Amino acid sequence: MNAPLTHAKPAPLAPFVDALPLPSRLIALEHDGRLTVSIRAGTHRFHRDLPVSSVWGFEGMVPGPTIEAERGRPVTVEWLNELKGPFPVLDTVAPEPADADGVPVQCLPGLSGGEPNRHAAGLTGHTVVHLHGGLTPASYDGWAENLFAPGQPAVFDYPMDQRAALLWYHDHVMGITKLDVYAGLAGLWIVRDERERELELPEGPPFEVPLLIQDRNFDLDEHGRLTGQLVHKTDPEVMEAFPPFTVVNGKVWPVLEVRPATYRFRVLNGSNARTYRLVVLHEVAPEHERITQIGTDHGLLRAPVAVPADGLVLASAERADVLVDFSDLPPGSELTVLNTARAPFDGSPFPVSDAENAADPEGLLPYPQVLRFRVAGEPANSVSIPRKLATDYEAPPAEALAGARRRAIALVEREMGDEPNMLTMRELGPAGDGPLVTVSDGDETTRYRVVAAHFEDATTFFPMLGEYEVWQLINLTGDTHPIHLHLDPFQILSRQPIRYEIPEGGIGGRELAATVTLAREPDDELDHAIDDNERGLKDTIRVNPNEIVEIAVRFNSYSGRYMYHCHILEHEDRDMMRPFVTMAPELMPFMA
Ligand code: C2O
Ligand code: CU
Ligand code: CU
C-alpha cells in the first residue's frame, strides 16, 4: 500500500510509524482568561527510533500547548521565562555545500565538518513572545529588542478582539529567532467565534486536528548513528537551514488514524525557511478533490476554494484551514501527504502528476514525506461544506485605494565578500541625490531612492489608523520571500511580473540602483497568478522572484511600534525586518 517513492533515498528513520501527536490544549475560558505558561528546557522524542532530544519549549514541550480563546474574551498570559542554558541546538555552517559523494550537506544529518557556533552554545535563554496574527497592543506584541531575561516574568494582555483564526505564538528575539524557534519555542493559538459555530465546523478533537509542520535535523554519534541532538546547519552557498526531516506536531513523518468522516485540519508552516507544496496521494494518484480550503491566515474565506492544481503552497508562517473528506474510504485505506517544493523555494511549478517522484536532494528535498492518514473504525457524520463562509469583509473599495498612500519596498540580496550574502529590505522614498530605483509600467516611471536599509534606521512608515495604504513589495532576488506584517491583516491586490536591471555595484550598504519594468522576462516560468486561497485576510504573503506584489494594508486596531519582515527566520534575523508605527490621525498634525 505504500506509495512508491522511486527516487527517494532510503530514509535513516522509518516513515509513518509514530502516531501524530496532538498538542495539549489550554482553553482560556476554563481559566477565566488568565494563563501562566512557563518557558523552559525540556526533552522530546522526535521519532520512535531516535534518542530523546533536549529542547526549549513552552511548558517545555514541542510544540507548546495550543491556546484556545474566544473572540471578545481577553486573555492574559503570564510568560514565565525559566529557560536555562546550555542552548539545546548545535548551530553550524558546514565548510562545503556537498559531501564527497556530491550529496548536499543540508540533506544529511550531522555537522558535515562544521564547527559548532560557540556564540549559539553560549545562549542562556533571553526570549520574547510574539502572537503571530494577534491584534495586540504594541507593548504586548513582542518587539524583538524587548527581551525577557531568564527569571524575568512578563504579563501580556491579548484583547482577542478579532475574528476566529489559527494564530501561533513564537519567540522573536533580535538576531536569534531562527535558533530559538528551532529549539522548540512555538505553539498554536486558536481564536473561535460565533460565525464558525453557526457553520457547524468541527471544533476540537477528534475531527479538528492542528498540523504544525516544521523541518529538523540531528547530529550523528561516532558510529554514524543518529542522536537526538538538534542541529541547525547551513552551508557556504545557502544561508537558510533546510533540514531533511519533516516534523508534524513534533514527530518525524507521523501517521494519523482517521475514521471515514470529514476532518478539519488547521495547517501551519512553522519551519524556519522551507516552503511546502502539499499534495495528497491515494496510492500514487493525487486526490485533491477530497480537500476544500475554507480559511487562510486570518480565518474564513468568503467561499470555499479548491486546492491549487499543483498542491497547497505554504511558506513559513502561512496557514490553511482545510476540510478533508475521508468518508467513502474503506478501512485500511491510506493517503499520503507529500511535499513537492524544492528549497530554496522560488515559485517554480512541479506537476502533481509527478508527485511520487518529488524526492530531489539537489533541491534540498531528500524525503518528500510529510504525513500519512490511515482509515480505520466506524463512519461518522460527514460535514456539509457551507457555500458561504465569511460575511464580514469585502475587497478594499476602489475609491479608498485611489487616494491611498503608496509605499514601496525593495527586497535585495547583497554580496558580502567572504561572508554569506545578506538579504535586506530597502524602503524607498522620493528620489533625491544618489542612486535611483525606477519603476516603470510603460506609461509612467516612478523614481525612488533608498530611505532606510537596516532595522535600526529611522522609522519611515507611519500609517494612520483606519486608512488604507498600498504597499508595493518588489522582489529583486532569486527566491520567494514570505513577507509578514504584524497587527491587522491585509489583502492582496495584484501580483505582476517584472524585469529588472541592477548595475554593477548597484546594491551597496544602503544604496540601491535598479531599473524595474512591469513586463515579463522571456525565460520567466512563473505564472504570477494570485491563488484563490490568497484572496482572504492574510498576514503573510509570498513574493516570488521577478515579481511585484501589491497589498492593501489598513491598520485599525492599535497605535504603536510594530514590525514587518520576511518570515524566513534566517532572513528576518539578518536584516529583512523593519519597524513601522501606526498613528492615531489626531496626532499627525503634531508630527515634524
Ligand atoms: Cu511570526 Cu514577526 O512573526
Ligand atoms: Cu507576527
Ligand atoms: Cu526572505
Side-chain angles (χ1 to χ4, degrees):
M1 278 236 158
N2 290 2
L5 299 165
T6 42
H7 293 188
K9 320 183 340 120
L13 291 169
F16 315 128
V17 293
D18 286 292
L20 175 80
L22 300 177
S24 68
R25 302 167 75 198
L26 199 48
I27 297 173
L29 275 191
E30 293 176 1
H31 301 268
D32 250 349
R34 304 196 66 83
L35 304 175
T36 301
V37 176
S38 82
I39 307 172
R40 55 185 156 83
T43 56
H44 178 79
R45 194 182 294 276
F46 282 96
H47 185 275
R48 179 189 76 181
D49 299 329
L50 275 178
V52 292
S53 302
S54 296
V55 296
W56 279 358
F58 294 96
E59 297 296 346
M61 299 188 301
V62 171
T66 301
I67 295 176
E68 296 185 29
E70 297 287 320
R71 180 173 194 164
R73 305 291 294 269
V75 176
T76 299
V77 184
E78 182 173 16
W79 302 107
L80 288 179
N81 183 355
E82 295 171 341
L83 290 170
K84 271 209 299 275
F87 182 63
V89 177
L90 285 177
D91 176 43
T92 198
V93 185
E96 300 290 338
D99 73 358
D101 302 324
V103 180
V105 292
Q106 293 225 39
C107 294
L108 300 168
L111 300 185
S112 304
E115 286 293 320
N117 172 358
R118 68 193 163 85
H119 300 294
L123 295 171
T124 59
H126 285 82
T127 187
V128 60
V129 182
H130 167 59
L131 177 57
H132 181 125
L135 304 191
T136 308
S139 37
Y140 307 124
D141 192 53
W143 182 261
E145 290 164 328
N146 292 350
L147 308 188
F148 329 151
Q152 175 189 336
V155 181
F156 277 22
D157 292 330
Y158 301 98
M160 291 291 105
D161 186 7
Q162 61 183 103
R163 65 208 298 273
L166 173 67
L167 318 181
W168 61 306
Y169 58 99
H170 61 76
D171 174 274
H172 215 312
V173 173
M174 197 72 202
I176 59 161
T177 299
K178 62 180 184 219
L179 296 175
D180 281 357
V181 171
Y182 197 86
L185 292 174
L188 303 174
W189 182 306
I190 298 176
V191 187
R192 305 198 180 278
D193 71 8
E194 280 317 307
R195 178 62 186 155
E196 287 196 1
R197 295 204 174 103
E198 272 165 29
L199 296 172
E200 298 183 337
L201 296 170
E203 178 176 323
F207 298 117
E208 182 194 38
V209 179
L211 300 175
L212 166 53
I213 305 176
Q214 300 177 306
D215 51 0
R216 291 293 180 270
N217 200 358
F218 306 96
D219 203 2
L220 296 171
D221 67 14
E222 62 277 21
H223 308 291
R225 288 178 304 224
L226 282 166
T227 71
Q229 170 66 55
L230 283 168
V231 169
H232 178 272
K233 177 170 61 181
T234 57
D235 70 65
E237 289 172 7
V238 180
M239 59 93 73
E240 310 86 7
F242 292 108
F245 303 107
T246 302
V247 168
V248 188
N249 296 351
K251 287 289 177 196
V252 177
W253 308 319
V255 53
L256 176 67
E257 212 165 82
V258 293
R259 292 170 61 187
T262 295
Y263 281 67
R264 180 185 188 192
F265 295 102
R266 314 297 301 269
V267 194
L268 160 69
N269 178 359
S271 302
N272 277 28
R274 189 181 290 278
T275 295
Y276 299 84
R277 179 169 37 220
L278 302 173
V279 303
V280 175
L281 301 189
H282 186 192
E283 313 287 325
V284 295
E287 289 200 346
H288 287 179
E289 51 300 337
R290 297 185 177 281
I291 312 172
T292 307
Q293 186 168 350
I294 57 171
T296 179
D297 303 348
H298 272 251
L300 290 178
L301 295 161
R302 292 167 51 77
V305 299
V307 162
D310 283 345
L312 174 62
V313 180
L314 292 175
S316 176
E318 285 190 294
R319 285 91 79 200
D321 191 349
V322 296
L323 298 174
V324 182
D325 183 0
F326 302 106
S327 61
D328 63 318
L329 292 169
S333 309
E334 291 183 329
L335 297 181
T336 306
V337 183
L338 298 180
N339 169 26
T340 68
R342 291 170 58 108
F345 186 68
D346 61 6
S348 301
F350 188 92
V352 68
S353 53
D354 208 20
E356 57 170 317
N357 302 316
D360 178 4
E362 288 293 298
L364 305 185
L365 181 63
Y367 314 115
Q369 294 90 333
V370 176
L371 169 72
R372 174 164 288 172
F373 302 114
R374 187 172 294 138
V375 180
E378 292 300 302
N381 291 338
S382 97
V383 173
S384 67
I385 298 170
R387 284 168 179 269
K388 210 168 172 190
L389 299 166
T391 53
D392 63 341
Y393 73 92
E394 300 283 343
E399 318 82 75
L401 295 179
R405 173 184 270 279
R406 300 179 64 84
R407 303 188 190 275
I409 301 131
L411 315 177
V412 298
E413 178 158 358
R414 189 177 153 218
E415 314 244 341
M416 297 295 284
D418 46 0
E419 275 176 80
N421 291 354
M422 184 146 155
L423 277 304
T424 96
M425 293 197 307
R426 303 292 167 84
E427 289 173 1
L428 303 177
D433 296 342
L436 272 186
V437 178
T438 61
V439 180
S440 5
D441 66 2
D443 297 333
E444 241 182 277
T445 300
T446 316
R447 294 150 59 86
Y448 298 106
R449 91 193 137 96
V450 171
V451 292
H454 305 289
F455 186 72
E456 302 74 21
D457 289 353
T459 306
T460 74
F461 286 10
F462 294 90
M464 253 194 282
L465 291 180
E467 291 194 4
Y468 272 110
E469 302 196 337
V470 176
W471 292 22
Q472 194 176 48
L473 303 160
I474 307 168
N475 190 349
L476 306 180
T477 79
D479 297 325
T480 298
H481 300 273
I483 302 297
H484 167 52
L485 275 56
H486 285 213
L487 204 59
D488 298 82
F490 54 78
Q491 294 189 61
I492 184 167
L493 295 173
S494 66
R495 178 173 267 149
Q496 289 177 276
I498 54 171
R499 291 197 266 115
Y500 61 89
E501 269 168 61
I502 300 176
E504 189 62 34
I507 302 176
R510 48 185 55 252
E511 305 74 36
L512 173 65
T515 321
V516 179
T517 314
L518 288 180
R520 179 180 276 275
E521 279 283 2
D523 56 355
D524 182 354
E525 286 189 357
L526 308 189
D527 62 7
H528 303 287
I530 302 175
D531 289 338
D532 290 339
N533 61 8
E534 294 182 300
R535 296 190 186 275
L537 297 177
K538 295 282 289 170
D539 63 33
T540 306
I541 193 78
R542 277 172 267 124
V543 187
N544 297 303
N546 292 102
E547 185 169 289
I548 288 185
V549 169
E550 285 191 339
I551 57 176
V553 176
R554 182 174 56 170
F555 298 103
N556 289 318
S557 42
Y558 302 101
S559 81
R561 186 168 292 267
Y562 294 90
M563 304 180 285
Y564 73 98
H565 55 88
C566 178
H567 216 286
I568 290 177
L569 302 183
E570 286 83 356
H571 295 182
E572 158 186 348
D573 281 340
R574 206 142 180 272
D575 230 23
M576 286 195 113
M577 181 157 81
R578 283 284 300 156
F580 65 86
V581 175
T582 53
M583 297 289 297
E586 68 192 56
L587 297 183
M588 290 314 273
F590 298 91
M591 297 288 291

